[in-house]
Amino acid sequence: MVINEIHIENVKGLQSFDLKQPIQPNRPNILVAPNGFGKTSLAVAFNSLKSNCLELEGTNSYNGDDTNLPVLRLKLSTGRILEADRNHNTISDDFDVFVINCQLKPKATAQRYGGRLIPRASMDIRPTVMIKTIPQKINFDYSFTRNKRDFGANGKLLTDISDIYNNPNLMIQISEKVNFGEFGLVRFRTPFDAIITRINNIDSRKTARSIKDEINRENIIDINNQVFANLCDIIRRKRAFDNSVDVFLAAWQIIHVRNNMGVNYRKALEYAAFLKKQAEIDSTLKKLNPVSDRFEIKSTIKDRSLIIEWPKADMISNGQRDILTFISRLMECHYKESKACILVIDEFSMVDTLLFSKLLDACGHVHKILLIGDDQQLPSVSPGNVLKDMLLSGIPHICLQTIYRQEEGSGIVALSHDIRNDQYDSHVFDDYRDIHFTVCPNKDVAHCVQIIVKKAVEEGYDASDVQVLAPMYRGVAGIDALNESLQAIFNPPTSDKAEIKVGGKIFREGDKLLQLRNRPDDDVYNGDVGILVEIERKEDTGLPYDSLTVDFDGQFVNYRTSEFNMLRHAYCMSVHKSQGNEFKIVIMSVLPEYSIMMKKNLLYTGITRAKQSLFILGDHSVFIRGLHNNQDEQRRTTLLKRFQERQNTSTFSISDFE
């Protein structure tokens, strides 16, 4: 979503101001202007946003007259307009705003010399408020002595685990990964309490070592509960214990303390989370402090807030001051509470195990995750079969029943359903007008494609409406050969179109191109399709390289000669590259030379890209063999087994997203 225009009224020196330069998401947008052109006023406008209004402080009204009504208005690329004034704020519905500004403040002092008052001016650095309100200081109520008494006759077996409670990171990890509600259920308490009773019935006159040996010998500790096993695993990884008995007893202590603390346990966790943030802040400051040889800079608690106080401005250089304050404001933004976030991931079948793991690690601020996908489509290129494994695990899910891509009575829908249900019958092509299977050998495929495409062009379709799919790049019916012949139909050479030869290919203005690598700085990614709008030769520009400019749906990206290998023609593409897209007309080839690539999910994915018409060209026997090839479904993964072992997944209702 792009902010196309910013309008400001009656803020500082701006009576009426319009900034019509688009503000692009996920990249720096730099506004440069001389003094007096309104840069500070613009920052003040955004910094004055409250949750429900635009509230200016002090003399920030236009001409210092607070009767002038301030307005901040954003016009988005979607056509929506967001606005804030003294009475309302719709900007906060879509955006969190955080302003980083200069931390300097003037300070005036006066000293008396010989009966005269001499004023002096200096500059201070404003303290940075990292956390406005810290939680109540409630520590975990752990007492080793009390726990030994509460355990019973053999409380001497317990080990002091105060170091666990002194580790905020570990306590937070335990709370996040262990569902303590499980331990309050009768199905857990009954066998758990029975184990404690058996341990306490052992003769307490024996040594602790001999009692532990007897517990192991008699196999007294036998709990078939995955949640408890998770707790023991965390303890075992973070603390070296002599044996499994010590791990069990440490877990008992953690459960016992939590039960005894009640609601205060949650408050202690909140305070532990605060201590973790404070440690992270201080660690960052220590690493990046450019004046560490003279000043120790760390956070302090003052009036229930966590703040950073800085040295006097005249005791450090401007550069050192700017580094410190900028870092602190970025951290302040990081820890600032934001609105609830719902993460929606489409085409989830393409997500591999590693990617999903990294995504979950980065989603601490996310309140809900909605996964959308089709388990019959192509799985991820990299290892894993995450979507299918999650569905097989029994995680509650919703199956959508209404089709929007194709019209009612579509043969594309009938064919795709038959393939999903392993009920394919070749007669389906005779029953519908929007699906076609043409038998032809390899050498004739290119000619048949040309006939279909030329007919589509005559009927008013263009390159964005028609997509040819093939599994391989080489061969007479491969992607490269088909792209060359289709370019001649969709974008033939003319005197007003510049072109350039790149390897064995010709790029021509107006070409449909496919991005092959991620370019996050340009907001363009592998699989994006754009139009080549301009070619500039180095002979004309005087630069040491040729350049291409490609329009990706309003995002213009420039490529130098060395970057041309990031692009290829997109009139024909692989089925993998097409996943997630839809086209009015799809033409797909199934040939003997592609037999090794022909799999059920590949065919299904290609077929379901079509909205209006589907043409399949090639060998019908290859098509049938491909429909019976479920090789991708047999990936060796352990995710399903791990889900089944845990049996502790959160659920949601579709109403949560309405």
Side-chain angles (χ1 to χ4, degrees):
M1 181 169 54
V2 177
I3 300 175
N4 281 341
E5 184 178 332
I6 299 175
H7 176 77
I8 298 174
E9 294 179 15
N10 298 323
V11 177
K12 284 186 77 68
L14 302 178
Q15 184 179 24
S16 182
F17 171 83
D18 290 295
L19 180 64
K20 296 185 177 181
Q21 177 67 36
I23 308 297
Q24 302 288 343
N26 304 317
R27 65 177 59 190
N29 294 266
I30 302 175
L31 175 64
V32 180
N35 288 334
F37 277 65
K39 299 188 302 297
T40 300
S41 299
L42 186 120
V44 167
F46 280 98
N47 202 34
S48 301
L49 284 171
K50 309 299 182 184
S51 60
N52 58 354
C53 68
L54 177 63
E55 184 179 316
L56 299 180
E57 297 180 358
T59 59
N60 286 332
S61 298
Y62 178 66
N63 284 341
D65 185 355
D66 61 7
T67 62
N68 292 320
L69 178 66
V71 176
L72 175 60
R73 187 180 301 124
L74 308 181
K75 186 176 182 180
L76 308 182
S77 56
T78 60
R80 292 178 62 218
I81 294 178
L82 309 177
E83 185 178 89
D85 58 25
R86 287 177 180 171
N87 300 313
H88 73 292
N89 178 10
T90 60
I91 296 174
S92 62
D93 295 340
D94 287 60
F95 294 100
D96 283 322
V97 176
F98 192 81
V99 177
I100 298 177
N101 48 25
C102 181
Q103 295 288 94
L104 285 176
K105 65 175 182 179
K107 181 179 180 180
T109 58
Q111 290 183 312
R112 189 173 295 278
Y113 293 95
R116 296 179 61 189
L117 198 64
I118 308 296
R120 293 182 180 272
S122 63
M123 300 296 290
D124 279 355
I125 306 175
R126 292 186 182 90
T128 302
V129 180
M130 301 302 299
I131 299 176
K132 189 174 182 179
T133 303
I134 65 173
Q136 183 181 359
K137 184 179 180 180
I138 295 182
N139 296 313
F140 295 103
D141 188 18
Y142 175 74
S143 168
F144 179 48
T145 303
R146 184 172 63 236
N147 278 8
K148 288 196 295 182
R149 183 189 66 232
D150 292 348
F151 185 84
N154 282 319
K156 65 183 180 182
L157 300 179
L158 271 59
T159 303
D160 190 343
I161 59 169
S162 54
D163 58 316
I164 292 178
Y165 286 96
N166 292 329
N167 186 338
N169 289 346
L170 180 55
M171 294 307 301
I172 293 169
Q173 181 185 357
I174 291 173
S175 70
E176 291 175 345
K177 296 188 176 183
V178 178
N179 180 13
F180 281 87
E182 178 78 12
F183 305 142
L185 301 177
V186 174
R187 67 180 184 225
F188 175 83
R189 289 203 321 268
T190 300
F192 191 71
D193 292 344
I195 292 172
I196 305 301
T197 300
R198 287 189 64 185
I199 292 174
N200 281 317
N201 284 338
I202 299 174
D203 189 351
S204 61
R205 292 172 296 180
K206 295 181 178 180
T207 65
R209 171 52 60 186
S210 62
I211 295 174
K212 290 178 182 180
D213 290 342
E214 183 173 341
I215 293 171
N216 286 324
R217 187 171 58 252
E218 299 295 329
N219 196 27
I220 293 176
I221 299 174
D222 184 17
I223 297 182
N224 185 23
N225 184 282
Q226 187 59 47
V227 180
F228 185 76
N230 293 343
L231 174 59
C232 291
D233 285 343
I234 296 173
I235 295 170
R236 192 179 289 108
R237 289 196 302 268
K238 299 298 181 179
R239 173 81 181 269
F241 285 102
D242 293 337
N243 53 58
S244 59
V245 177
D246 289 330
V247 175
F248 171 85
L249 296 174
W252 176 89
Q253 291 190 78
I254 291 173
I255 296 171
H256 183 66
V257 170
R258 190 183 188 281
N259 290 341
N260 284 346
M261 288 187 67
V263 296
N264 279 338
Y265 190 85
R266 178 182 57 79
K267 296 179 180 179
L269 277 174
E270 292 175 353
Y271 188 70
F274 159 71
L275 293 177
K276 178 184 177 189
K277 291 178 182 178
Q278 185 181 26
E280 291 170 353
I281 290 168
D282 290 341
S283 175
T284 302
L285 289 171
K286 185 177 181 179
K287 289 178 185 176
L288 302 175
N289 182 8
V291 291
S292 58
D293 58 328
R294 294 185 290 141
F295 300 101
E296 181 186 19
I297 300 176
K298 58 190 303 184
S299 61
T300 59
I301 298 174
K302 196 171 187 178
D303 298 328
R304 294 288 310 276
S305 296
L306 185 70
I307 68 171
I308 303 172
E309 294 184 309
W310 307 104
K312 297 290 185 181
D314 59 356
M315 300 182 72
I316 58 177
S317 71
N318 291 346
Q320 293 166 340
R321 177 202 69 218
D322 291 344
I323 291 171
L324 286 167
T325 57
F326 186 68
I327 291 170
S328 68
R329 297 304 306 278
L330 287 178
M331 288 193 293
E332 182 187 352
C333 178
H334 175 71
Y335 291 116
K336 185 181 179 183
E337 295 293 331
S338 61
K339 297 186 288 293
C341 175
I342 298 176
L343 175 64
V344 181
I345 306 175
D346 198 8
E347 298 295 340
F348 188 68
S349 65
M350 303 171 68
V351 176
D352 61 71
T353 302
L354 181 60
L355 179 60
F356 193 46
S357 174
K358 296 294 185 184
L359 183 142
L360 293 177
D361 287 342
C363 284
H365 65 293
V366 174
H367 290 64
K368 292 183 181 290
I369 302 178
L370 176 61
L371 309 177
I372 304 172
D374 185 345
D375 63 311
Q376 296 294 319
Q377 291 188 31
L378 289 166
S380 59
V381 176
S382 298
N385 207 351
V386 181
L387 176 60
K388 186 175 287 292
D389 286 347
M390 292 178 72
L391 294 176
L392 290 175
S393 74
I395 288 180
H397 60 279
I398 298 165
C399 287
L400 304 182
Q401 304 296 327
T402 304
I403 298 171
Y404 295 97
R405 177 173 291 168
Q406 297 87 10
E407 295 180 357
E408 188 175 352
S410 165
I412 301 168
V413 174
L415 177 60
S416 61
H417 281 187
D418 287 352
I419 293 173
R420 282 185 67 97
N421 300 322
D422 296 319
Q423 297 175 347
Y424 169 72
D425 188 329
S426 60
H427 292 298
V428 68
F429 289 100
D430 301 324
D431 298 335
Y432 296 92
R433 297 183 60 185
D434 60 342
I435 56 175
H436 314 268
F437 198 112
T438 302
V439 177
C440 62
N442 292 22
K443 62 182 180 64
D444 293 336
V445 166
H447 180 64
C448 289
V449 169
Q450 291 175 26
I451 293 174
I452 298 170
V453 171
K454 287 179 179 177
K455 179 66 174 176
V457 172
E458 291 174 2
E459 294 182 2
Y461 295 96
D462 58 28
S464 64
D465 301 319
V466 182
Q467 187 60 58
V468 182
L469 303 177
M472 300 178 70
Y473 284 92
R474 298 179 179 177
V476 294
I479 293 172
D480 291 335
L482 289 173
N483 265 321
E484 186 175 345
S485 64
L486 292 170
Q487 182 190 36
I489 300 173
F490 285 116
N491 191 34
T494 61
S495 59
D496 61 337
K497 293 179 184 176
E499 58 184 49
I500 188 170
K501 192 170 184 179
V502 181
K505 308 178 185 68
I506 293 177
F507 284 172
R508 183 176 298 131
E509 290 177 350
D511 272 341
K512 179 181 176 183
L513 299 181
L514 179 70
Q515 178 73 21
L516 301 177
R517 301 180 194 172
N518 291 334
R519 290 183 60 154
D521 291 343
D522 292 312
D523 199 23
V524 177
Y525 300 90
N526 183 11
D528 286 351
V529 176
I531 302 297
L532 177 57
V533 294
E534 188 176 65
I535 297 174
E536 291 185 298
R537 291 185 173 276
K538 57 186 177 184
E539 295 87 354
D540 301 325
T541 62
L543 297 171
Y545 52 81
D546 300 316
S547 68
L548 309 176
T549 301
V550 183
D551 177 7
F552 292 95
D553 195 23
Q555 184 75 11
F556 292 86
V557 181
N558 187 261
Y559 299 80
R560 298 182 178 185
T561 306
S562 60
E563 300 170 324
F564 289 178
N565 60 354
M566 295 184 180
L567 300 167
R568 92 167 41 244
H569 291 102
Y571 304 108
C572 179
M573 68 174 67
S574 69
V575 178
H576 286 84
K577 293 292 188 185
S578 74
Q579 191 164 349
N581 295 309
E582 59 181 33
F583 311 94
K584 292 180 179 179
I585 300 172
V586 168
I587 307 168
M588 186 167 64
S589 55
V590 287
L591 301 168
E593 64 180 306
Y594 303 152
S595 293
I596 193 171
M597 302 289 294
M598 291 293 106
K599 299 173 183 175
K600 177 182 176 181
N601 52 21
L602 183 138
L603 294 169
Y604 174 82
T605 301
I607 288 167
T608 53
R609 299 310 91 201
K611 290 180 63 179
Q612 296 181 4
S613 298
L614 170 70
F615 297 86
I616 302 178
L617 312 175
D619 190 314
H620 191 259
S621 63
V622 174
F623 183 71
I624 293 177
R625 285 198 300 272
L627 294 181
H628 291 91
N629 185 353
N630 294 322
Q631 184 178 346
D632 278 339
E633 295 183 4
Q634 301 168 6
R635 294 189 169 192
R636 296 181 180 179
T637 70
T638 60
L639 184 60
L640 175 59
K641 180 181 178 182
R642 294 172 66 184
F643 270 122
Q644 291 171 338
E645 289 174 348
R646 290 176 181 264
Q647 295 181 346
N648 182 37
T649 56
S650 61
T651 63
F652 61 85
S653 167
I654 195 65
S655 62
D656 294 333
F657 303 96
E658 292 177 349

